[in-house]
Amino acid sequence: CTEQLVSMGLPALLFSQHPELGQIKGKGSVSGVIQMLQGRQNEEGAFGLWSASTNVANWPSLWAIHYMIEAKDRNQQVPSALFSRAQQWLNRIAGPWGNNMDNMRQRAYAIYLLSRLGVQTGSQLSSLQQELKARYQAEWPTDITAAYVAASQRLLQQTDLAQKTVKSVPWDNKTFGSNSSYDAYYDALGHQSQLLYIYAKHFPELLEKMPNTVLDGMGQRVTNREYSSLSAAYLLLALT
C-alpha cells in the first residue's frame, strides 16, 4: 500500500545526502516514490491506498506529505502541483472535525505539516488546543499529539510554550506500552520514534536531557520485532 511504499523509499531519501553509500534505484528510489504518489493522489489532494481513489486512510496520506517535505528539504525534485493539491487536503484535515483522540492526532500532524510548508497555522492550532483541553484534558498531553502541537508552536516562535508542551510527553506512552494495544499507525516504537524526531528537529537543546534508557528501549523493541513498516521508517528518520 501507499504507506509501505513511502516507508520503503525513506532509505533512498536519507542516502541521497551521502552518495558515497551508493544509490537506490527502482520503486524504492526517491523518484520512484514521487512518481507513485503522482499516480495515487486523488482530486482532494490525499493519496489512495492502492490508486488515486477516495479509499483513503488519513495517516498514510499525512506520512506521504511528510516524505515530500523531507525530500524537498533535501533538494530532491517534487512537483509543485503535488504540493499544491496536498496542501488543500491538509487545510481540510487541520480544521475542526473528529470524535476521538486518533482524529485529534491527525489534525495535529496536519497542522504541523502545514507549518513546515510555511503556512501561518496560529488559528488552526488555537482551535485544536481548545478542543483538546475541553474534550481530552487527561489524554492529549501524553499523546504524540502534544509533540506535534509543540513542534508547531516552535515553528510559530512560541519557544517557551513549545518546550513546556513537549516536555509533558512521556517517552513510554502508557496507552501503547504493550502488544495488546498495538496499532498499525501508532504503536509504541512509532510514538518514541516520532517524539525523538521532533526533539532532534525542533528541540535539539533538550536532547541532552533525554533518559539514557530511551534508545536502549527502542533497540529492544526492534529486536523483539515490535514494529511496523511505518514505525521503522520514523525511527530511521529520527536517527539521521
Side-chain angles (χ1 to χ4, degrees):
C1 68
T2 296
E3 175 272 307
Q4 291 173 325
L5 290 174
V6 172
S7 297
M8 184 177 70
L10 187 66
L13 178 58
L14 301 178
F15 283 3
S16 67
Q17 294 187 301
H18 301 281
E20 70 277 7
L21 298 178
Q23 185 178 15
I24 297 175
K25 300 180 180 180
K27 290 183 179 180
S29 67
V30 177
S31 61
V33 171
I34 298 301
Q35 185 176 8
M36 178 273 295
L37 292 177
Q38 286 180 291
R40 295 192 181 189
Q41 189 174 44
N42 62 28
E43 293 181 356
E44 295 180 344
F47 299 92
L49 290 175
W50 306 101
S51 62
S53 70
T54 56
N55 181 20
V56 171
N58 286 347
W59 202 272
S61 287
L62 292 165
W63 171 230
I65 297 170
H66 194 166
Y67 181 95
M68 289 160 51
I69 292 171
E70 295 292 336
K72 184 179 179 182
D73 286 351
R74 289 168 170 78
N75 299 314
Q76 299 297 308
Q77 295 296 319
V78 183
S80 58
L82 202 61
F83 270 119
S84 179
R85 290 191 294 269
Q87 187 169 323
Q88 293 176 10
W89 180 76
L90 283 176
N91 277 316
R92 184 169 65 82
I93 299 301
W97 73 280
N99 297 302
N100 56 54
M101 200 58 230
D102 183 55
N103 296 155
M104 300 302 107
R105 194 178 299 128
Q106 294 169 29
R107 283 174 63 183
Y109 197 4
I111 291 170
Y112 168 70
L113 295 176
L114 284 170
S115 300
R116 287 282 300 274
L117 289 171
V119 176
Q120 289 298 317
T121 57
S123 61
Q124 293 158 313
L125 189 60
S126 177
S127 175
L128 174 62
Q129 288 178 274
Q130 289 176 18
E131 188 165 353
L132 288 170
K133 291 175 182 178
R135 300 177 60 189
Y136 306 98
Q137 182 63 44
E139 298 99 327
W140 86 271
T142 63
D143 192 271
I144 199 63
T145 299
Y148 281 117
V149 167
S152 295
Q153 290 171 332
R154 188 62 182 262
L155 290 169
L156 290 169
Q157 307 303 316
Q158 301 171 359
T159 301
D160 292 342
L161 181 59
Q163 290 182 342
K164 181 180 179 181
T165 303
V166 79
K167 286 177 181 178
S168 75
V169 186
W171 287 97
D172 284 307
N173 183 294
K174 59 184 179 182
T175 307
F176 293 88
S178 66
N179 287 337
S180 61
S181 300
Y182 181 90
D183 184 283
Y185 297 137
Y186 186 42
D187 60 14
L189 183 63
H191 172 89
Q192 293 175 314
S193 299
Q194 288 173 84
L195 185 56
L196 179 58
Y197 168 79
I198 288 170
Y199 265 90
K201 183 76 175 179
H202 302 289
F203 302 95
E205 72 279 5
L206 300 179
L207 270 179
E208 63 181 22
K209 297 181 180 180
M210 182 179 73
N212 295 329
T213 56
V214 170
L215 290 179
D216 290 340
M218 294 169 76
Q220 190 60 52
R221 291 193 190 283
V222 173
T223 299
N224 294 342
R225 298 186 178 182
E226 298 173 8
Y227 60 87
S228 65
S229 56
L230 182 61
S231 59
Y234 278 128
L235 178 58
L236 283 177
L237 187 59
L239 293 175
T240 54

